[in-house]
Amino acid sequence: MSKAGRKEIVNLLMKDRKKRHRSHRSGQTKQMFKDMLWTLLTSLFYILRLLLDKAIDLVLEFYWGEKKKCPPLKKDFFITKSVVEIAELIRNQDITVYQVVNAYINRIIETNPVLNAVIDGPFLDALDEAQKLDKRISNGLISEEEFNEKKLLGVPFTTKDSTAVAGRLQTLGLTSRKNFKAKEDAECVRLLKEAGAIIIATTNIPEVNRWQETRNNLIGQTNNPYDLRRTVGGSSGGEAALISSCGTAFGLGTDIGGSIRMPAYYCGIFGHKPTSGLVNTRGCTMRTGLEKNTMVVAGPMTRYAIDLKPIFEVLIGPKNAQMLKLNENVDVKKLKYFYCLDNGDMRCSALCSDVKNTINKVVTHFYNISGSDVQMVKLKGIEYTSKLWRYWMTQEPAEFAYLLGNSKKINPITELLKKLSGQSEFTWASILSLIDSILPAEKAEKMKKITSDLIQEVDELLGDDGILIMPSYTYQAPFHYAPLIQIYNFSYWSILNVLHLPTTQVPMGLNSQGLPLGIQIVATKNRDRHCLAVAEELDRQFGGWVAPFDIIGNGSNLN
């Protein structure tokens, strides 16, 4: 090739290179402009959302008036103790079962007029059972072996209305079932009774458990013991209110999208959502216990972290307890810790400073005791949480429209028209859920793929010794009715149902308004013992449950 020819080729190459460079720069400029525009729009959206949230709070605070909380405790101070301590007092005959049961029933009578938490109370039956048990104990008819086998002997408990208790109301919060009574105990209730616990009441729920507040047209709404103007969450809201106000020693909840952890957070107590499939759910909201791949779980709700494990052990049985290595010691200093902040779901409110500060306190603590960095992570696809949960709810065996109609399918449009004309027997929350069922469905393959990828990412991140620290909610317990507008803020709970992961809700004290704060402790499947151990560590370090009432008199006395 001639010298002139080579020069021409070089010139052409240079021109092409300059052209591609200009094109690349133009592409970079366009992408930079798009990124800036997206950042601006996102920031504007969050500012508008923040203003809306503030406006909602101001309007509802004005509407509900002056703050009030649950009545003070003036006697029977032992009811504030842990389940473990109460069981030990009974075993040592420092207190009678009758005294314990009677004290909790009296507390229910004292607090329920303001909390509105109880649906049905087998009070007389519970007192009769307590007296019979006392006779056996005083006559030396209960051996050490029986005490060891029945770790909850004589300890009172409650459960939500949707979980069957033989001979007691099981209304599901529906007016059509206002007189319906369960014929037999749910399996989890049976197991607790078998372990010696005494059922004293059943508690309020939203209609068929399907809402973020505990309200129905049978008995109305349940109020938060820290601030009666605020919600207790749903669906185990009656349970959380009663436990926190010391109307029961512990409670049994169920959880499909945060139904244990949401009320536990709002009411400042502990709640454990087990790994899916560990606890038999027969008798919970009409379930057979044979359902596969369901997000529904049953689990314990308590004032103290130390109580979660013995109750959980009863609920899962010896075989599962052995499989989980539940009673093996866990050295929390040797676990690896990660944390997640904003989930990126634009349907959610932004995390408030109190929530961020709470997570930072926990992160600092585990950094100090483990000597390792606590890494912040962003899970890919978690921003789709609300869509993911909505899709997987359509894969559940029971259809809401049938359950709401008590086996007769409810038509969403008809029911909406009836509601607008004041003729519907259901709450607005149920109407919204019905309407959602006829809106365009999520793309199944996309939702399955995101879920699968998320499960794999979490498994690889946490492995056999990792713990993920997550926010519980965007801020404190909202005022009554706020969730009708702030619908998607429950996503921080529901994503963990989608992933079927064990999660423990941990209370972390109160904010400046005297309302509970908290976090979630998450591990990979079947590592419930790690969640429970970390919860106990945080309870010891930060104090856990704070009473939502004043204690008047000498609270140090047993009686």
Side-chain angles (χ1 to χ4, degrees):
M1 182 182 293
S2 66
K3 187 176 180 180
R6 286 197 300 271
K7 188 175 181 180
E8 184 177 354
I9 291 174
V10 170
N11 288 336
L12 288 171
L13 289 173
M14 289 298 292
K15 286 180 180 178
D16 182 60
R17 184 177 176 183
K18 289 178 180 178
K19 183 179 179 182
R20 283 188 284 112
H21 181 65
R22 285 195 299 270
S23 176
H24 177 67
R25 288 183 62 185
S26 175
Q28 282 186 320
T29 303
K30 287 180 180 178
Q31 186 60 47
M32 188 183 301
F33 178 75
K34 287 180 180 178
D35 290 342
M36 289 175 62
L37 182 61
W38 176 249
T39 301
L40 179 63
L41 291 174
T42 302
S43 300
L44 181 60
F45 176 84
Y46 277 122
I47 291 170
L48 292 173
R49 181 61 191 265
L50 181 63
L51 292 173
L52 174 63
D53 290 341
K54 292 290 185 184
I56 291 169
D57 269 5
L58 286 172
V59 169
L60 290 177
E61 185 174 19
F62 174 78
Y63 176 79
W64 290 111
E66 185 182 351
K67 177 183 176 180
K68 295 179 182 178
K69 62 181 182 179
C70 138
L73 182 63
K74 301 177 182 178
K75 62 179 181 176
D76 297 330
F77 303 109
F78 63 83
I79 64 176
T80 64
K81 292 182 179 292
S82 70
V83 170
V84 171
E85 289 175 306
I86 289 172
E88 190 67 18
L89 288 171
I90 292 170
R91 181 172 184 163
N92 294 335
Q93 298 187 51
D94 292 324
I95 196 167
T96 66
V97 179
Y98 185 89
Q99 281 179 292
V100 173
V101 171
N102 190 55
Y104 279 114
I105 289 174
N106 285 338
R107 184 61 177 165
I108 289 175
I109 293 169
E110 190 174 45
T111 59
N112 199 57
V114 297
L115 297 180
N116 196 35
V118 174
I119 289 279
D120 198 1
F123 295 158
L124 295 179
D125 290 348
L127 290 169
D128 184 54
E129 186 179 348
Q131 286 181 318
K132 290 177 181 177
L133 193 53
D134 282 331
K135 285 182 181 178
R136 291 188 63 211
I137 293 172
S138 62
N139 292 330
L141 298 178
I142 298 182
S143 65
E144 286 296 310
E145 183 180 2
E146 186 173 353
F147 269 118
N148 290 334
E149 287 178 355
K150 297 182 177 181
K151 296 179 179 178
L152 305 176
L153 195 68
V155 180
F157 79 102
T158 50
T159 190
K160 59 201 295 186
D161 165 272
S162 53
T163 298
V165 177
R168 300 300 161 188
L169 291 173
Q170 190 186 20
T171 70
L172 305 186
L174 302 174
T175 56
S176 60
R177 290 173 61 93
K178 63 182 179 181
N179 297 316
F180 183 88
K181 294 186 177 182
K183 294 180 180 179
E184 61 180 357
D185 290 328
E187 180 63 12
C188 45
V189 171
R190 185 191 70 79
L191 289 169
L192 290 172
K193 285 184 175 181
E194 197 175 76
I198 298 175
I199 182 78
I200 61 171
T202 57
T203 55
N204 200 25
I205 60 169
E207 290 159 326
V208 200
N209 291 325
R210 184 73 180 265
W211 192 240
Q212 302 171 49
E213 292 196 78
T214 294
R215 181 186 301 109
N216 56 56
N217 288 333
L218 275 177
I219 73 166
Q221 71 185 15
T222 300
N223 300 316
N224 193 305
Y226 291 90
D227 183 345
L228 302 180
R229 304 170 300 174
R230 296 179 184 268
T231 182
V232 292
S235 59
S236 308
E239 280 302 293
L242 214 57
I243 295 164
S244 187
S245 61
C246 291
T248 182
F250 73 95
L252 176 64
T254 56
D255 193 314
I256 194 173
S259 294
I260 287 173
R261 294 157 293 141
M262 179 193 298
Y265 173 74
Y266 291 162
C267 295
I269 63 172
F270 291 85
H272 182 63
K273 183 195 90 64
T275 300
S276 296
L278 290 176
V279 180
N280 190 318
T281 56
R282 179 189 62 78
C284 300
T285 321
M286 319 307 291
R287 289 186 168 245
T288 65
L290 301 175
E291 292 83 2
K292 302 295 182 183
N293 301 317
T294 175
M295 293 188 290
V296 172
V297 295
M301 302 173 70
T302 65
R303 286 185 295 275
Y304 300 95
I306 196 173
D307 294 332
L308 291 172
K309 188 164 75 170
I311 300 167
F312 182 51
E313 188 173 6
V314 169
L315 294 174
I316 62 176
K319 186 176 179 181
N320 278 335
Q322 186 176 7
M323 183 269 290
L324 294 181
K325 302 177 182 177
L326 193 61
N327 290 308
E328 285 191 9
N329 289 330
V330 176
D331 188 348
V332 295
K333 295 178 182 178
K334 294 182 179 179
L335 296 175
K336 298 174 182 175
Y337 295 93
F338 305 86
Y339 71 103
C340 176
L341 285 175
D342 190 351
N343 66 7
D345 189 338
M346 294 185 68
R347 298 183 180 194
C348 292
S349 301
L351 296 182
C352 73
S353 58
D354 282 336
V355 170
K356 292 178 180 178
N357 291 338
T358 300
I359 288 185
N360 286 334
K361 281 200 302 185
V362 175
V363 166
T364 301
H365 174 67
F366 286 117
Y367 169 75
N368 289 337
I369 68 169
S370 69
S372 300
D373 285 337
V374 181
Q375 181 184 345
M376 186 171 75
V377 295
K378 173 71 174 178
L379 301 176
K380 188 177 180 181
I382 198 172
E383 66 272 17
Y384 291 99
T385 290
S386 54
K387 292 178 177 291
L388 292 172
W389 187 79
R390 181 172 182 260
Y391 167 73
W392 287 109
M393 279 297 288
T394 66
Q395 305 306 298
E396 289 292 323
E399 187 178 346
F400 180 67
Y402 276 105
L403 291 173
L404 193 66
N406 198 21
S407 299
K408 179 183 177 182
K409 190 170 184 178
I410 301 294
N411 183 287
I413 302 302
T414 302
E415 206 57 45
L416 174 61
L417 294 175
K418 287 170 68 176
K419 186 68 177 177
L420 292 172
S421 60
Q423 299 178 38
S424 175
E425 61 183 287
F426 305 117
T427 62
W428 270 112
S430 290
I431 303 300
L432 288 177
S433 294
L434 283 172
I435 293 171
D436 181 69
S437 69
I438 59 173
L439 295 177
E442 306 295 342
K443 295 178 181 178
E445 292 307 312
K446 181 179 179 180
M447 296 299 104
K448 289 179 182 178
K449 179 66 166 59
I450 294 172
T451 303
S452 176
D453 289 347
L454 262 172
I455 290 172
Q456 183 178 344
E457 183 180 0
V458 172
D459 283 347
E460 291 174 356
L461 176 70
L462 301 183
D464 295 328
D465 60 355
I467 292 292
L468 179 62
I469 302 160
M470 283 191 65
S472 297
Y473 191 63
T474 57
Y475 56 109
Q476 72 273 355
F479 288 100
H480 290 301
Y481 295 112
L484 287 169
I485 302 171
Q486 299 162 325
I487 295 175
Y488 298 102
N489 284 352
F490 80 107
S491 294
Y492 287 94
W493 290 299
S494 63
I495 186 60
L496 300 167
N497 294 87
V498 170
L499 303 179
H500 298 273
L501 298 177
T503 311
T504 305
Q505 171 64 47
V506 178
M508 290 289 296
L510 309 181
N511 67 5
S512 59
Q513 299 176 63
L515 297 169
L517 296 168
I519 60 160
Q520 297 185 89
I521 300 299
V522 186
T524 43
K525 291 180 182 179
N526 295 326
R527 289 179 48 228
D528 297 69
R529 74 185 190 281
H530 289 155
C531 293
L532 300 177
V534 171
E536 288 186 30
E537 169 66 20
L538 292 174
D539 195 4
R540 285 190 296 269
Q541 179 65 26
F542 296 103
W545 169 74
V546 179
F549 48 80
D550 296 324
I551 295 178
I552 299 176
N554 188 0
S556 63
N557 288 343
L558 182 64
N559 295 308

